[in-house]
Amino acid sequence: MTRTPISRRNFMQQSALWAAAFAGAGAATTGLAHAAREKELNILCWEGYNSAQVLDPFRSSRGATVKAESLTNDPTMINRLRAGETKIWDLINVNNPWARKIMLPEGLIKPLDKSKFEPFFNAMMPEFKAPYKWAMDEAGAELIGMAQRFGPYSFVVNTDKVSRAAAEDQGWNLWNDPANAGKYGILESDDWNVFCLCAISGFDPFKVHSDDEVAKFTETAKRVFKGAKLVGDIATMNQAMVAGEIDFHLTGGTYSASPARADGQPQIRGITPKSGPFQGGKGGIAWIEITSVVNNPELSPLAEDFLAYVQAPDVSHTVAFAEGTFNPVTQMGNPECFKLFSKEELDAIQWDSLAEEMGRSVEYDIVPDYDKLLDIMTAAKREASGG
Amino acid sequence: MSPGLRSALPVVLFLIAGFAAPLIAVIWFSFMPARTFSFGGTPTLENYTTIIESSNYISFLWSLGLGAVTVTLLALICYPIAYGLVRIFGKWSTLITLLFTIPLFVSENIRLYGWVLFLIKNGVLLGTIKSVFGVEPESILFTLPAIVLGMVYVYFPFMLFPMTLGISMVPQDTRDAAMDLGASRWQVFREVELPLSMPGILIGCLLTFVLAVGAIAEAKVLGGQQIIPITHDIEIAFTYAQNWPLGAALSVLLMAVVGTLVLIVLRRFNLDQLLGRR
C-alpha cells in the first residue's frame, strides 16, 4: 500500500474531490427523498396524534416514517403553513373554523375524496352525520376534513368548593363577583381567554365589537387578571385545584379537567353555564377538531391512509385516551367503538353530561377583531403584574 | 487573500451562517410591518413606536430588576461557599462540587415543578408543617419571593463556579506575605483576596445577570405568571399574537439594553487590567 504525502496543493485537490463527492451524494439523496415520500408522513397536530400509541401501529404496518409535531394553539400552526411549510406537512389537525373559513380559501389544504371519506361520518355520533358543517367547504360541496376529538370548553371548578349546579347557574358571573378575587386561576390559553373575557363582559366573542364593548372588554381583562391567583398550564391548574390553592379556573373543560379526573379527582369538573351571551342565549363554547390534508405539492399518499386509519374503533379509542389529555371522539356513535370505553374512562371525559353540555354550547368560531382584543388582554396581564 | 485569512475562511463562514445571520435576520425582521411573515416588506419603525407607546416597560423593568436581585443574592450566597470550596473544605470540596453540579443534569422545568410540589398548599413543606404542628401557613407559591427563590436556585452554579475559579487564582504566597507584613484578616480579605478574585466574581455576575434577564420559566412555573418578564412578552408576540416583527423588535431592544449594561460594567471594571495586575 502506498501513501501519498499530503501537501497543501493536493490537500486542496482532495478536499475539492471530497466536497464534490458529498454534493453528488446529497443530490442523489434528495432524489431518493422525493421517491421516499411514499413511506413518509408529516403531521402538524394537537397533542395526542403525535403519541406512540397512535403512531407506532401505523408506522409498523406501513413501514413508514411518521413525524408528528404537536403545538397548542391553532394560529401558530396555520401561520406555519402560511410561511411556506405546506411543502413539509401532509396533515393538519386544528379546531373547527380554520379549515372551512381560512385554510381552504387560502389554498393551504385540499378537499378529500368524498366517496371514500363521507361514509365514515355515518358511523359517528348523530350530530356529526354527513354533511357535517365544519367538515365541508362554505358552499357545502367539498369534504375538507375529518372530525374526531371534540368537547365543551368554558371553565372548570372544584365541585368540593363550588357545586356543579351553582357554577352552571352563576355561569360567567363567577368572575364578576368581587368576593372571588384570589380564588381562581387562568389557563395559559390566550386565544380562548379572549373568548371567555368577552363572555364575562356579557357579549358574544364571535363578531366585530363596538367601541363600548371593547372598553368593557378592557375593564374586564384588567379586573380578571388582577384577581387571578395564578396563570399557568393545564397541569398547574389541576394541581392548584387539587391542592386547594384555587377553587376554579378560566378556560377549561373536558380537555383540561380529564387528566385530573382520570387520576382519581372527580371533583375537578368542566362546567358549561346554563345560559350566557352566546348566540341563542347559549352558555358555553365547544371545539371540534378537523383534520385536513395539506395542499402539499408532493403530498404523501399516506395522508389519506392515516385519516382512514384513525377512524377504526380501536384506534379512535386510542386517540381519545392518548397521552396528555383525554377527550370524547365522534366515533363513540359506533357501538363497536363505544364498548371499548371503560366506566372510569367515561367518567374522566364527563360522559354523563356531555350531550347536555354540547347542547348548551356554541361552536368555536373566529373572532374578527381577535388581534385587537388579544393585544388589550396581553397588556392587561402585564399591567396586573405591575403591582 | 492571505493564507491566514484563507485558512480562517471556513470558520468565518460558519460563524456568519450560524451566529451573525440569525441575529441579522432578527434585527431586519424588527423593521418589517407588524403581523407580517416575510422579509420583503417596506422597513418601518412602527414596532419600536408600538413598544414605546405600550406598557412593555413594565416587563423590561421586571426582567432587569429580577436579574439584579438574583445577582446580588447569589454574590452574597456564593462567595462564602466558593471561599470554603477553595480554602476550607479540603478533600470534601470535590464531593460538594459534585453535589452542586448534579442538578444541572436535570431539566430546569422539572426542577422547578419539583419546587412547586415542595411549596404548594398541602405539599411537601406545608403539608408536613400542617401534620406535625397543626398550623397551616400561607404558601409563597405564585408570589414574587417564589420567583426569586427559583432564579437563585437555577442560576446558583453559574455564579459559584466562576467565583471559585476567581478565588483559587489568589496565590497563597500573596496572602501569606500580607499576613507577614502585619495585615489583619479583614485587611487581607479587603485588600488582597477580594481585588485579586474580582475577575471570577465579575464573570460570575455578568454570566448570571445575562441568564437571569433572559429567564422565563421561574416566573411562569413558580410565579404563576404574577409577573410578566420581557421574555414572556416576546414569547406571546411570536405565538398567540403571531406578531413576529413585534417579537423581533422586543428581542432587539432586550439585546441592546443588556449589551449596553454589560459594556458599562466591563468599562468600569476592565477585565484585562484586573487580570494583568497579577
Side-chain angles (χ1 to χ4, degrees):
Chain A
M1 196 173 86
T2 56
R3 284 185 67 181
T4 314
I6 294 178
S7 69
R8 182 181 292 183
R9 176 172 295 181
N10 72 13
F11 172 76
M12 293 303 284
Q13 283 169 345
Q14 286 188 17
S15 302
L17 278 172
W18 278 109
F22 276 118
T29 320
T30 317
L32 283 173
H34 287 177
R37 293 238 65 212
E38 299 281 328
K39 292 283 177 194
E40 177 188 303
L41 177 69
N42 294 331
I43 310 170
L44 194 57
C45 56
W46 282 76
E47 84 285 354
Y49 283 108
N50 61 335
S51 70
Q53 300 116 289
V54 175
L55 296 181
D56 280 354
F58 186 79
R59 285 181 178 126
S60 53
S61 62
R62 272 69 171 180
T65 306
V66 183
K67 181 183 141 199
E69 185 176 336
S70 119
L71 293 170
T72 52
N73 73 75
D74 298 324
T76 301
M77 288 195 243
I78 286 148
N79 282 321
R80 296 266 298 258
L81 297 190
R82 282 174 174 151
E85 292 191 16
T86 43
K87 295 188 196 83
I88 296 172
W89 303 104
D90 300 299
L91 289 171
I92 180 165
N93 157 252
V94 284
N95 282 304
N96 47 300
W98 298 98
R100 176 186 168 104
K101 293 190 172 179
I102 304 289
M103 292 198 294
L104 189 74
E106 290 187 18
L108 300 172
I109 55 170
K110 53 174 137 191
L112 295 170
D113 178 351
K114 209 169 163 182
S115 62
K116 184 175 168 190
F117 284 97
E118 208 164 58
F120 285 116
F121 283 85
N122 295 326
M124 294 182 188
M125 292 163 78
E127 52 273 45
F128 298 95
K129 298 282 184 216
Y132 177 57
K133 178 188 164 185
W134 296 111
M136 306 299 289
D137 67 345
E138 294 277 14
E142 302 274 16
L143 180 66
I144 55 167
M146 298 300 290
Q148 190 153 45
R149 299 186 293 191
F150 69 98
Y153 211 53
S154 296
F155 59 83
V156 177
V157 304
N158 177 347
T159 52
D160 289 347
K161 301 290 175 71
V162 183
S163 73
R164 177 185 162 191
E168 285 180 345
D169 287 340
Q170 202 175 350
W172 299 100
N173 279 328
L174 265 177
W175 278 268
N176 287 324
D177 183 351
N180 285 335
K183 290 184 185 170
Y184 61 86
I186 301 177
L187 185 70
E188 185 186 18
S189 178
D190 284 354
D191 42 356
W192 280 82
N193 286 336
V194 167
F195 313 160
C196 295
L197 288 172
C198 285
I200 296 168
S201 304
F203 47 79
D204 188 340
F206 307 119
K207 63 172 187 114
V208 177
H209 299 96
S210 68
D211 289 347
D212 285 348
E213 285 173 331
V214 172
K216 175 77 177 145
F217 179 90
T218 310
E219 181 273 317
T220 306
K222 285 182 179 172
R223 180 170 46 77
V224 170
F225 274 98
K226 193 85 186 162
K229 172 113 189 223
L230 75 147
V231 181
D233 56 21
I234 290 175
T236 308
M237 286 302 129
N238 284 332
Q239 199 168 43
M241 279 204 296
V242 170
E245 291 272 1
I246 54 171
D247 297 344
F248 42 96
H249 77 82
L250 195 63
T251 294
T254 326
Y255 170 77
S256 69
S258 55
R261 294 177 63 82
D263 200 30
Q265 305 288 344
Q267 74 280 20
I268 309 300
R269 189 175 184 97
I271 296 289
T272 304
K274 281 188 177 149
S275 63
F278 300 98
Q279 225 171 28
K282 290 195 174 187
I285 314 165
W287 54 273
I288 304 97
E289 280 177 0
I290 299 291
T291 309
S292 303
V293 170
V294 174
N295 193 8
N296 186 329
E298 285 172 38
L299 184 72
S300 164
L302 293 175
E304 287 204 349
D305 189 13
F306 184 82
L307 273 186
Y309 158 80
V310 292
Q311 302 299 316
D314 57 334
V315 185
S316 296
H317 173 253
T318 310
V319 167
F321 275 81
E323 66 188 18
T325 62
F326 313 128
N327 303 283
V329 287
T330 57
Q331 289 77 11
M332 289 172 86
N334 176 356
E336 289 301 309
C337 177
F338 188 80
K339 72 178 186 198
L340 299 173
F341 287 80
S342 67
K343 186 188 172 299
E344 289 73 26
E345 287 174 339
L346 291 174
D347 281 347
I349 58 174
Q350 297 184 206
W351 180 254
D352 59 335
S353 61
L354 184 67
E356 193 186 327
E357 289 191 67
M358 289 300 286
R360 289 208 294 257
S361 299
V362 293
E363 287 154 338
Y364 168 19
D365 210 336
I366 288 165
V367 179
D369 44 8
Y370 169 76
D371 288 347
K372 182 165 69 179
L373 298 183
L374 180 77
D375 286 347
I376 292 170
M377 192 186 80
T378 306
K381 194 166 153 186
R382 190 188 305 125
E383 283 154 26
S385 87
Chain B
M1 194 189 285
S2 73
L5 190 61
R6 199 168 53 224
S7 306
L9 205 58
V11 178
V12 170
L13 288 176
F14 181 72
L15 274 177
I16 290 173
F19 183 75
L23 215 57
I24 293 165
V26 170
I27 295 169
W28 178 251
F29 224 96
S30 72
F31 295 105
M32 290 295 103
R35 293 194 155 91
T36 57
F37 300 94
S38 118
F39 284 106
T42 315
T44 166
L45 286 172
E46 74 167 290
N47 300 307
Y48 291 95
T49 320
T50 308
I51 294 169
I52 291 163
E53 285 168 356
S54 77
S55 52
N56 284 113
Y57 70 92
I58 297 173
S59 308
F60 269 107
L61 290 176
W62 274 122
S63 287
L64 295 172
L66 281 169
V69 170
T70 307
V71 168
T72 311
L73 288 174
L74 278 174
L76 294 173
I77 295 167
C78 289
Y79 196 87
I81 300 172
Y83 191 88
L85 284 174
V86 177
R87 306 249 181 258
I88 298 165
F89 302 150
K91 63 176 181 178
W92 296 103
S93 289
T94 315
L95 179 68
I96 295 170
T97 308
L98 199 66
L99 289 176
F100 285 137
T101 317
I102 286 169
L104 288 175
F105 292 101
V106 181
S107 143
E108 181 184 332
N109 274 357
I110 291 177
R111 283 183 286 148
L112 291 176
Y113 277 108
W115 274 108
V116 170
L117 293 176
F118 185 77
L119 295 173
I120 203 165
K121 199 169 175 180
N122 296 315
V124 177
L125 179 67
L126 299 181
T128 310
I129 292 176
K130 191 175 162 186
S131 57
V132 175
F133 302 105
V135 287
E136 200 179 356
E138 272 296 302
S139 151
I140 66 155
L141 198 59
F142 313 129
T143 63
L144 182 60
I147 300 174
V148 175
L149 171 78
M151 290 178 76
V152 166
Y153 167 74
V154 166
Y155 298 115
F156 178 81
F158 299 95
M159 178 69 96
L160 181 71
F161 295 127
M163 235 177 204
T164 310
L165 197 67
I167 293 172
S168 68
M169 282 165 70
V170 182
Q172 185 61 32
D173 292 349
T174 320
R175 300 171 74 237
D176 291 345
M179 295 271 195
D180 290 347
L181 291 168
S184 65
R185 288 179 70 172
W186 170 246
Q187 279 177 311
V188 172
F189 171 72
R190 201 169 58 94
E191 293 179 25
V192 177
E193 275 186 315
L194 199 59
L196 289 184
S197 56
M198 197 46 90
I201 298 173
L202 201 62
I203 290 167
C205 289
L206 284 178
L207 187 63
T208 318
F209 182 74
V210 171
L211 289 172
V213 169
I216 183 167
E218 294 79 9
K220 272 188 163 188
V221 177
L222 292 177
Q225 299 188 25
Q226 290 299 305
I227 278 163
I228 308 290
I230 191 63
T231 37
H232 193 174
D233 270 346
I234 294 171
E235 188 188 88
I236 292 173
F238 276 104
T239 54
Y240 288 107
Q242 286 301 303
N243 198 347
W244 295 3
L246 181 75
L250 284 167
S251 310
V252 170
L253 280 178
L254 180 62
M255 284 189 280
V257 169
V258 175
T260 310
L261 287 174
V262 169
L263 281 178
I264 291 172
V265 173
L266 285 179
R267 277 177 81 96
R268 173 79 180 76
F269 301 97
N270 189 324
L271 266 186
D272 285 341
Q273 204 185 351
L274 284 172
L275 289 164
R277 267 191 208 155
R278 299 190 59 244

